[in-house]
Structures are given as structure tokens and as C-alpha cells.
């Protein structure tokens, strides 16, 4: 057909030729996009598919990795934050395990990851990172799947590693401390009630030293008392905490530490203190607290046996504070059995203090009487076969 042709037939023919050319051009473009170039080399059929080039594969791997970086980051980041929070709150309150906290935290983080995946993909698309156009046959090729899955694996590894950043500032021991304190509180409360029963005392309490405030606070008490704070300078309890020596008083009214405001209405409960036994709790050379029992029910003072047993319990309280693996129930049972036996067991703390209280004035008196420069009491160590002196 020539451009100089005239008439409706000529116009129709030109339109048909233009449409045919456009269709051929579109087919060639589609074939090029689908991986089927129109200009095939000799020996290659139109049905054969070229594998994606290296640029397409790299873009595919990058596009596959980015969403998984975001998902992995949020998954670990939120799981650690929520897991730590739950471990220090719900797990302490309801005595759940750390694994339960991890499971709940992981559930929350996975739910958040579902919503975050689309946002990361949209952000990547805005930055120009998106999967390259490929035909269905190209996507099914082994090399294509290898790059796709490799990108996803690398992305999740990078994301999860970055998501561990809360571990840099979170205290891993905080939840353990809270759980330990709760467990110790239950153990010590049982011990306090048991001590009152074993000693036939009207009341008992376990007080600890607060180094920051410089006073004592009642952590566990029997039902007829309530938890308060106690100054280190006040009464027999403060004296035992300051000096580290136990106090056994048959009648508080006859002692210099007696204070009507403190002892005639103890802790505001209306209890009148008549007799008391306070035993310090030692650990690593310092006083951690005081166990105190009040008012022997049979009247009079607490006995040497009471001193020995309370000294043993104070030792095990100190051990439990530093090592909760010890079975406190067994300790209490053994102490309760010793109450029913004749003769007090020889526990170190009470025995040594009574020995010093008895022997030191005797040795000093002997030195004055004999006009000696010094006196000493030598004790026999049967195990090593030698004599030794105790520190004053």
C-alpha cells in the first residue's frame, strides 16, 4: 500500500497494517519480559527459557532478605522485652517458669511480626528494592529458588541478631532475684511461725538490716505482730544488730535498754514484752539481721537450749539467703526434734559467746590476783593434737 492511496479501502488497509505492527511489537516486548527474546539465536527454539541473569538474582535475593530482616528484628526485640517484663511480673506473681515467659513473649512478637512484614516490604519498594520481573518458568528454576531462600535465611539471621540488642541493657538477674526473694519470703515466714511454736514464745519476727537507711525492717512476723522498721539505736533488738551478740533477757524491766514506749506496747499491738531472745544472723563477717522471740509462755527466761537452737536456725537463715538450694523444711524438722531431746546440741555461736562471757572475767580476775602480766586459757584440739587460744 502506498501513502498516496486514497479512499476508504486505503484507510482501512493502513489501519490493519498499523494494528499488525503494534501486535508484533507487543508480542516481542512480552517475550522479552518473559525471558523469551524475539531474536533467538540459531538452534534455540522459542519454547526454551533463559535462566535469570546475575543482576536479577541479586535483586531477588535482596528483595527477599529485607522483609525477613524486619521480621527477625521485631521477633527477637519484642520477645526479649516482653519476656523479661512477664518474667519479672506474672511469673513472680503466679510462680510461672521462665520458659512460660519466653513462650508468651514469643507469641506477642510473632503477632506483631505479621503486621510488620507488609510495612517493611512497602518501605523496600519505596527505596527501589523489589523483585525483578520473571516468568513463571524462571521462578521455578533451582537457581532462582536458591537465591530466594538464601536471601530469606540471611535476612532472618541479620534481623534476629540485631533484635538481640535489648540484652545490652536488660538485667538478666532481675527476675531471678525477684523469684528468689518471693521463695525466701515464703520459707522465712514458715520458719518464723515454726520458731515461735518451738520456743513456746508468744511472738517471733525476722528482721533484716537495711544498709541504705541504716535501720532494721521486719520482713517476716507472726500473726500477732505487723511489719515495721526499727532503729539500730533502740532497745535490745538494735543492740543485737549493732554488736552481733545475742541477747537473752528474763525481765526487760530490769535492764538499761528497757523503754516503756517500745516494750509496753510493742509495735503498737498492745503486747507487753516481758522476756525476749534476740539472735543475730551472720554472713561473711557481718550481721544481716536478727531473729527475735518474745515472751516465754511458761514464764521466766529462754533457756540455753533455746539459745542453741535459735543460733542454729540463724545460721541456716544466712545460708538460705546466699544459697536457696538448702532444704529449710529439713532444717526446721531437725531443730524441732532437738527440742524434745535431753541436753542442748553444741551450736557454735551461742556456745562461744557464753564461754567468753564466763571465762574472760575469770581470767582477768586471776591475773589481778596473781599480779600476772597476762593470762590465757589453752584449749585442746583433739583432732590436730594441739593447744589453741580463742580470739577475744
Amino acid at each position: 500500500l502506498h501513502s498516496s492511496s486514497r479512499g476508504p479501502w486505503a484507510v482501512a488497509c493502513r489501519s490493519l497494517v498499523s494494528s499488525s505492527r503494534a501486535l508484533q511489537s507487543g508480542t516481542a516486548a512480552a517475550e522479552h519480559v518473559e525471558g523469551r527474546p524475539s531474536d533467538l539465536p540459531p538452534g534455540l527454539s522459542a519454547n526454551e527459557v533463559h535462566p535469570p541473569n546475575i543482576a536479577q538474582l541479586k535483586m531477588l535475593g535482596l528483595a527477599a532478605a529485607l522483609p525477613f530482616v524486619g521480621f527477625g528484628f521485631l521477633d527477637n526485640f519484642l520477645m526479649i522485652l516482653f519476656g523479661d517484663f512477664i518474667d519479672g511480673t506474672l511469673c513472680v506473681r503466679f510462680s510461672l517458669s521462665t520458659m512460660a515467659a519466653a513462650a508468651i513473649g514469643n507469641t506477642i512478637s510473632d503477632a506483631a511480626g505479621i503486621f510488620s512484614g507488609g510495612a517493611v516490604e512497602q518501605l523496600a519498594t519505596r527505596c527501589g528494592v523489589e523483585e525483578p520481573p520473571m516468568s513463571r518458568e524462571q521462578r521455578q528454576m533451582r537457581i532462582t529458588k536458591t537465591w530466594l531462600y538464601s536471601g530469606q535465611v540471611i535476612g532472618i539471621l541479620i534481623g534476629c541478631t540485631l533484635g538481640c540488642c535489648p540484652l545490652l541493657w536488660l538485667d538478666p538477674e532481675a527476675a531471678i532475684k525477684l523469684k528468689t526473694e518471693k521463695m525466701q519470703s515464703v520459707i522465712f515466714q514458715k520458719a518464723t511461725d515454726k520458731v515461735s511454736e518451738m520456743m513456746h514464745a508468744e511472738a517471733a519476727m525476722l528482721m533484716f538490716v537495711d544498709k541504705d537507711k541504716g535501720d532494721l525492717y521486719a520482713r517476716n512476723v507472726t500473726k500477732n505482730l505487723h511489719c515495721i522498721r526499727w532503729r539500730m539505736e533502740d532497745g535490745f533488738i538494735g543492740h543485737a544488730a549493732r554488736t552481733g551478740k545475742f541477747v537473752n533477757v528474763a525481765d526487760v524491766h530490769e535492764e538499761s535498754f528497757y523503754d516503756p514506749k517500745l516494750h509496753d506496747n510493742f509495735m503498737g499491738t498492745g503486747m507487753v514484752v516481758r522476756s525476749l531472745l534476740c539472735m543475730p544472723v551472720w554472713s561473711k563477717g557481718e550481721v544481716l539481721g536478727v531473729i527475735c522471740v518474745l515472751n516465754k509462755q511458761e514464764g521466766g527466761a529462754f533457756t540455753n537450749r533455746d539459745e542453741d537452737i535459735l543460733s542454729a536456725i540463724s545460721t541456716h537463715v544466712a545460708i538460705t539467703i546466699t544459697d536457696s538450694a538448702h532444704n529449710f523444711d529439713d532444717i526446721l524438722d531437725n531443730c524441732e526434734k532437738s527440742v524434745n531431746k535431753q541436753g542442748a546440741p553444741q551450736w557454735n555461736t551461742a556456745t562461744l559467746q557464753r564461754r567468753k562471757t564466763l571465762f574472760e572475767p575469770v581470767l582477768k580476775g586471776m591475773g589481778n590476783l596473781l599480779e600476772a602480766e597476762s593470762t590465757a586459757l589453752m584449749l585442746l584440739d583433739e583432732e590436730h593434737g594441739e593447744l589453741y587460744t580463742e580470739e577475744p
Side-chain angles (χ1 to χ4, degrees):
L1 296 176
H2 299 282
S3 59
S4 59
S5 301
R6 297 289 186 270
W9 287 105
V11 174
C13 289
R14 283 197 296 269
S15 300
L16 181 61
V17 170
S18 299
S19 299
S20 175
R21 289 176 179 174
L23 179 61
Q24 291 175 358
S25 177
T27 302
E31 288 177 348
H32 178 73
V33 171
E34 293 294 327
R36 299 175 181 174
S38 57
D39 298 330
L40 296 175
L44 183 65
S45 66
N47 293 328
E48 295 185 19
V49 181
H50 279 294
N53 58 44
I54 189 65
Q56 288 177 308
L57 293 174
K58 288 181 178 180
M59 183 59 70
L60 176 65
L62 180 61
L66 286 181
F68 280 86
V69 171
F71 177 79
F73 174 81
L74 286 179
D75 187 58
N76 262 11
F77 186 84
L78 295 179
M79 182 188 70
I80 293 174
L81 289 181
F82 281 104
D84 181 74
F85 175 76
I86 294 170
D87 196 27
T89 53
L90 295 179
C91 291
V92 175
R93 176 67 178 83
F94 299 104
S95 300
L96 301 177
S97 66
T98 302
M99 294 302 295
I104 299 174
N106 187 60
T107 302
I108 297 175
S109 66
D110 286 346
I114 294 176
F115 297 96
S116 67
V120 176
E121 289 179 352
Q122 292 176 3
L123 179 61
T125 302
R126 292 176 185 175
C127 297
V129 179
E130 56 183 344
E131 292 187 5
M134 294 184 186
S135 66
R136 184 176 62 183
E137 290 80 4
Q138 286 178 318
R139 292 183 179 277
Q140 296 299 323
M141 289 183 175
R142 181 185 299 274
I143 188 172
T144 305
K145 292 184 177 181
T146 300
W147 277 82
L148 177 67
Y149 297 149
S150 298
Q152 293 174 348
V153 170
I154 294 174
I156 200 72
L157 290 176
I158 294 175
C160 289
T161 302
L162 295 176
C164 292
C165 60
L167 297 176
L168 297 175
W169 64 79
L170 290 178
D171 183 7
E173 303 295 330
I176 297 176
K177 292 177 182 177
L178 292 174
K179 292 180 181 179
T180 301
E181 288 178 0
K182 181 183 178 182
M183 180 190 67
Q184 288 178 350
S185 180
V186 173
I187 292 174
F188 291 154
Q189 185 59 51
K190 183 175 182 179
T192 303
D193 295 334
K194 201 72 173 180
V195 164
S196 177
E197 178 184 343
M198 291 164 56
M199 302 293 176
H200 302 287
E202 184 178 355
M205 60 182 178
L206 175 60
M207 306 186 77
F208 286 93
V209 176
D210 188 334
K211 296 181 180 179
D212 296 332
K213 297 184 178 180
D215 62 0
L216 295 162
Y217 64 96
R219 180 170 175 175
N220 301 93
V221 298
T222 49
K223 295 181 180 179
N224 51 356
L225 300 177
H226 56 264
C227 296
I228 64 165
R229 304 193 75 91
W230 190 278
R231 296 198 313 162
M232 297 283 283
E233 299 81 12
D234 289 345
F236 304 95
I237 299 175
H239 175 76
R242 291 196 316 272
T243 62
K245 296 181 178 180
F246 76 84
V247 177
N248 188 354
V249 180
D251 188 351
V252 300
H253 300 84
E254 298 178 356
E255 302 295 333
S256 59
F257 288 109
Y258 167 70
D259 186 344
K261 296 180 181 179
L262 296 175
H263 302 106
D264 289 351
N265 184 19
F266 191 72
M267 293 185 174
T269 60
M271 181 185 298
V272 178
V273 179
R274 301 182 306 275
S275 60
L276 61 83
L277 172 60
C278 296
M279 187 67 63
V281 178
W282 283 90
S283 179
K284 298 180 181 179
E286 62 178 354
V287 177
L288 299 182
V290 175
I291 304 178
C292 188
V293 287
L294 307 173
N295 295 341
K296 188 77 169 179
Q297 292 180 357
E298 294 85 356
F302 292 94
T303 64
N304 290 348
R305 183 186 300 178
D306 296 331
E307 295 174 358
D308 293 331
I309 296 173
L310 195 60
S311 174
I313 293 177
S314 69
T315 301
H316 292 300
V317 167
I319 293 174
T320 304
I321 293 175
T322 56
D323 184 3
S324 59
H326 286 73
N327 192 333
F328 209 91
D329 290 336
D330 292 342
I331 295 171
L332 290 175
D333 290 340
N334 292 334
C335 291
E336 186 174 18
K337 291 176 182 177
S338 66
V339 174
N340 300 322
K341 295 181 180 179
Q342 296 295 325
Q346 297 300 311
W347 302 105
N348 289 337
T349 304
T351 302
L352 290 177
Q353 184 172 329
R354 286 199 301 269
R355 185 184 299 169
K356 291 178 181 179
T357 304
L358 175 63
F359 292 159
E360 286 180 4
V362 174
L363 293 175
K364 187 177 295 185
M366 290 175 59
N368 294 334
L369 180 63
L370 301 176
E371 297 181 355
E373 183 177 354
S374 63
T375 58
L377 174 63
M378 306 291 290
L379 302 176
L380 175 62
D381 186 345
E382 296 180 357
E383 181 178 354
H384 296 89
E386 60 185 10
L387 297 172
Y388 70 95
T389 59
E390 293 181 341
E391 296 181 1

